[in-house]
Amino acid sequence: MPTLETIVDGLKLPNPFVIGSGPPGTNANVIGKAFDEGWGAVICKTVSLDAEKVINVQPRYGRLRSRDTGEIYGWENIELISDRSFDTWIDEFKEIKDKYPDRVLIASVMEEFNEDAWHEIIGRCEEAGVDAFELNMSCPHGLPERRMGAAMGENPDILTEVCSWVMKVATRPVWAKMTPNVTHIEDPTRASLRAGCQGIAAINTIRSVIGVDLETLRPEPTVEGYTTPGGYSCQAVMPIALRMCMEVATVIKNEFPGRTLSGIGGIETGKDAAQFLLLGCDTVQVCTGVMKMGYRCVHSMQEELLAFMEHHKFETIEEFKGHSLQYFTTHSDLVKRQADARAAKKAEHTKKMIKKDADWDGEDFVDQSDALARG
């Protein structure tokens, strides 16, 4: 009987489905709801030591819908990190761990380019009982003037330094969350892992402009007639996320064996999750999907993933994690493989062609006849 239970960086999860950092983990109340519904772990909305400068606007989301069905397939947000005080978060971390001592609570943290600040936020979160950390080095909008989020994650040198600061004091597992807004995601991945991080989370949202209203001529989402580029998520980003997770997983496999990967990007079903796991992910994160479907969507996701495992006779996630990585190669190799296959097929066809009457074989009579026919 297959099981979804898994151990990642020493963390025991009942299943690989993790609430991704964002509104679904924005306070103790909703985090408790996620645990009650059976999510494997929860990553809180990103916290910082000083939330006074975090001021959100309304509206803050823009959505793309199918022209035919109206289904939402693209989602842009210009939402900032948590606007709740760090002291409040510390109290709620303690409250959550008191109520759910056996569940995995991961703190998403973001700070300025200041070693003392990073040491403080890691130390105080650990004292509050969090089980692991996700370093938000990848938010594509908001607070760039404070060198936070993607302003760090796009620069491997800065990323190496900041991750090193964190690893000096962290005693719990640390995942660095990657921005997709780079040419080669392998570069920040290597920087984070060389600095000692146990894992990578990928990808954060893609910097985007979701559209322009053709009546008002204003870009969306419009706030007092204006907007700013935001982060794009939902089903539409899944092919990009899969590609980048494959690249990160390949780096881990070849250069950092034993490190882990949490996949993010458009996951809404168990079948979606299976694809990320096949490309080397240890866990999968869902954020926009919860905002579309609610916390109970984890039930159908688990059922679909278990059905996939039963179909292929996999007992554990470890048995198929990364299985599909072996099928990626270069274009030149694809050309060679196809040429070899065609040559082998032609040779087999030629081999079956009768040269003289004594070669006819009763067992292969039909095949030999077909080989001699023109059409």
Side-chain angles (χ1 to χ4, degrees):
M1 187 71 179
T3 177
L4 295 181
E5 293 180 0
T6 185
I7 299 176
V8 182
D9 295 322
L11 305 171
K12 296 181 179 180
L13 280 63
N15 60 70
F17 294 100
V18 178
I19 291 286
S21 180
T26 199
N27 58 48
N29 179 50
V30 296
I31 291 173
K33 172 67 173 176
F35 282 141
D36 290 341
E37 291 294 347
W39 287 85
V42 175
I43 304 175
C44 73
K45 190 173 184 180
T46 301
V47 303
S48 64
L49 293 174
D50 179 11
E52 290 185 1
K53 296 179 181 179
V54 180
I55 303 174
N56 278 300
V57 294
Q58 299 82 29
R60 66 188 72 157
Y61 306 138
R63 301 183 293 188
L64 287 181
R65 295 179 180 271
S66 165
R67 293 184 177 92
D68 298 324
T69 66
E71 180 185 7
I72 298 168
Y73 67 88
W75 189 296
E76 182 194 342
N77 82 85
I78 55 173
E79 186 163 354
L80 302 182
I81 64 175
S82 178
D83 60 8
R84 305 170 73 235
S85 77
F86 188 63
D87 288 339
T88 297
W89 271 110
I90 291 297
D91 290 341
E92 293 197 354
F93 286 157
K94 294 175 181 177
E95 174 188 334
I96 294 165
K97 288 305 298 181
D98 284 343
K99 187 174 181 180
Y100 302 93
D102 298 328
R103 306 306 295 274
V104 174
L105 174 64
I106 301 173
S108 173
V109 295
M110 179 194 286
E111 263 308 321
E112 300 181 18
F113 189 72
N114 180 301
E115 184 172 5
D116 290 339
W118 280 99
H119 285 185
E120 180 181 351
I121 198 168
I122 295 297
R124 292 181 64 186
C125 286
E126 285 202 357
E127 290 174 1
V130 301
D131 299 291
F133 294 96
E134 183 177 83
L135 310 182
N136 187 341
M137 305 295 195
S138 47
C139 182
H141 56 275
L143 309 179
E145 69 282 358
R146 296 169 65 181
R147 297 177 72 183
M148 298 171 77
M152 286 184 179
E154 292 171 0
N155 187 320
D157 293 333
I158 293 177
L159 197 55
T160 297
E161 188 165 11
V162 174
C163 289
S164 297
W165 294 342
V166 170
M167 298 314 298
K168 285 181 183 178
V169 297
T171 64
R172 314 285 166 81
V174 176
W175 301 346
K177 190 172 185 179
M178 297 291 100
T179 173
N181 302 300
V182 292
T183 304
H184 300 289
I185 198 169
E186 299 96 328
D187 295 336
T189 292
R190 289 189 180 97
S192 304
L193 296 179
R194 284 172 181 159
C197 293
Q198 284 83 5
I200 297 294
I203 58 176
N204 207 324
T205 53
I206 301 170
R207 187 169 169 84
S208 65
V209 173
I210 204 164
V212 178
D213 187 310
L214 296 183
E215 290 298 320
T216 66
L217 311 186
R218 305 278 186 166
E220 296 288 345
T222 297
V223 180
E224 307 303 332
Y226 293 82
T227 195
T228 186
Y232 192 51
S233 61
C234 205
Q235 294 177 51
V237 311
M238 186 169 156
I240 299 169
L242 285 170
R243 186 265 294 181
M244 289 192 162
C245 282
M246 177 274 292
E247 292 170 337
V248 172
T250 300
V251 169
I252 291 175
K253 178 182 177 182
N254 294 338
E255 303 174 34
F256 302 90
R259 307 295 178 90
T260 61
L261 172 59
S262 189
I264 318 163
I267 298 163
E268 296 186 0
T269 70
K271 292 180 180 179
D272 294 342
Q275 295 179 63
F276 279 84
L277 297 170
L278 284 165
L279 292 184
C281 295
D282 296 88
T283 59
V284 293
Q285 296 185 28
V286 184
C287 182
T288 306
V290 176
M291 299 171 74
K292 289 173 58 179
M293 301 178 289
Y295 292 92
R296 289 190 58 79
C297 65
V298 73
H299 297 289
S300 60
M301 289 182 183
Q302 291 183 78
E303 290 171 2
E304 287 182 3
L305 183 55
L306 282 170
F308 160 80
M309 293 172 66
E310 289 176 356
H311 176 70
H312 290 280
K313 297 181 171 55
F314 295 128
E315 293 297 320
T316 66
I317 290 171
E318 189 65 28
E319 288 182 17
F320 67 93
K321 187 194 85 171
H323 175 83
S324 299
L325 291 176
Q326 63 185 304
Y327 302 118
F328 286 91
T329 186
T330 63
H331 191 274
S332 60
D333 184 59
L334 292 179
V335 172
K336 181 179 182 301
R337 287 174 180 273
Q338 189 164 72
D340 290 346
R342 287 173 174 172
K345 185 176 181 181
K346 183 177 180 181
E348 183 64 23
H349 179 77
T350 301
K351 181 180 177 181
K352 292 179 179 178
M353 294 182 70
I354 296 301
K355 305 294 190 302
K356 51 188 177 180
D357 286 352
D359 293 336
W360 286 96
D361 184 341
E363 296 297 327
D364 299 317
F365 190 82
V366 174
D367 289 340
Q368 290 175 326
S369 298
D370 289 342
L372 290 170
R374 292 181 61 89

